Amino acid sequence: MELELATERLLLRPVVLSDVDLSIEMLTDPAVVKHVLKLMTPEEITECMPTWTSRGGCGCIGIWVASDRETGEKIGTGSLLPMPIEAEEINWARVVEDAMPEGDVEVGYILKRSAWGKGYATEICRRLVQFAFEQTSFDEIVATFDDEHRKSRHVLEKCGFTDHGRRFCYGEDSVNFRITRLEWIAGR
């Protein structure tokens, strides 16, 4: 299975330990993590990197680094990961090399501040959804976001996701967006 994914402007490849520079740039920036994660220290990020490089489902589950195809600059990450329900964070024990996780798989994206407002989040999301429906057996991909983050809502709607009301995930009542394989095929 090919895990390097291309879009018109981006190359997505599985995250590796040397991508700690991008992770530190993003996850120590309060504006970047405001709607997605807690602020982290460089030491915490370095400690987490071996876990974040884990891949499941023969590579289909994990995090990809998005880079500009012309310059090679790393601009952010995209992910397909098991959505946590009771826990506030992803249970990385569910990311098993040769197995698809049970339960919902969520698409996500984080961009460094200099990459905001350029359509990259939409490009990353579309490509990961395409990958999920062309290369895996998933019948549905889910997404959630902070209620106040209208830009994420817009990205998901442009990618064909629909609002399914509310759901419990990440240990709280959250937005529930979904796209099925059939909806994705119909929207192509």
Side-chain angles (χ1 to χ4, degrees):
M1 175 173 310
E2 181 58 46
L3 297 180
E4 286 197 1
L5 312 173
T7 70
E8 181 181 330
R9 300 179 295 167
L10 302 174
L11 178 64
L12 282 71
R13 58 152 177 83
V15 66
V16 294
L17 291 175
S18 61
D19 293 318
V20 68
D21 60 338
L22 174 66
S23 296
I24 289 173
E25 182 177 355
M26 292 190 310
L27 305 181
T28 60
D29 183 335
V32 170
V33 300
K34 178 181 179 183
H35 297 291
V36 265
L37 300 165
K38 67 178 180 75
L39 199 60
M40 297 179 76
T41 67
E43 295 77 22
E44 290 171 323
I45 294 164
T46 300
E47 186 177 308
C48 289
M49 283 302 292
T51 300
W52 295 342
T53 62
S54 301
R55 299 206 73 81
C58 298
C60 298
I61 303 298
I63 301 172
W64 283 260
V65 168
S67 300
D68 182 290
R69 286 179 69 170
E70 287 185 23
T71 67
E73 177 187 3
K74 300 175 199 177
I75 58 103
T77 60
S79 61
L80 290 169
L81 291 167
M83 177 179 269
I85 304 303
E86 300 292 334
E88 293 179 15
E89 296 181 9
I90 293 161
N91 177 356
W92 285 91
R94 292 180 59 206
V95 179
V96 179
E97 185 177 334
D98 293 329
M100 291 295 201
E102 291 186 20
D104 289 333
V105 170
E106 175 185 24
V107 68
Y109 37 84
I110 302 174
L111 299 176
K112 63 185 190 178
R113 200 185 307 204
S114 63
W116 291 359
K118 299 177 182 176
Y120 291 136
T122 302
E123 215 167 306
I124 292 167
C125 184
R126 277 190 181 132
R127 187 61 183 97
L128 289 176
V129 169
Q130 176 187 354
F131 169 78
F133 290 141
E134 287 181 349
Q135 301 293 320
T136 78
S137 60
F138 296 132
D139 287 322
E140 182 175 60
I141 301 295
V142 301
T144 192
F145 53 89
D146 185 321
D147 287 311
E148 299 171 12
H149 200 218
R150 291 186 307 269
K151 291 181 180 179
S152 257
R153 171 184 288 274
H154 185 63
V155 165
L156 292 169
E157 288 172 342
K158 287 195 308 187
C159 292
F161 284 74
T162 55
D163 188 341
H164 284 253
R166 308 291 295 180
R167 69 166 297 156
F168 193 78
C169 60
Y170 289 94
E172 63 184 25
D173 181 57
S174 299
V175 174
N176 180 20
F177 270 55
R178 297 173 174 270
I179 186 170
T180 66
R181 180 184 299 275
L182 292 177
E183 290 167 338
W184 177 77
I185 290 169
R188 289 192 75 189

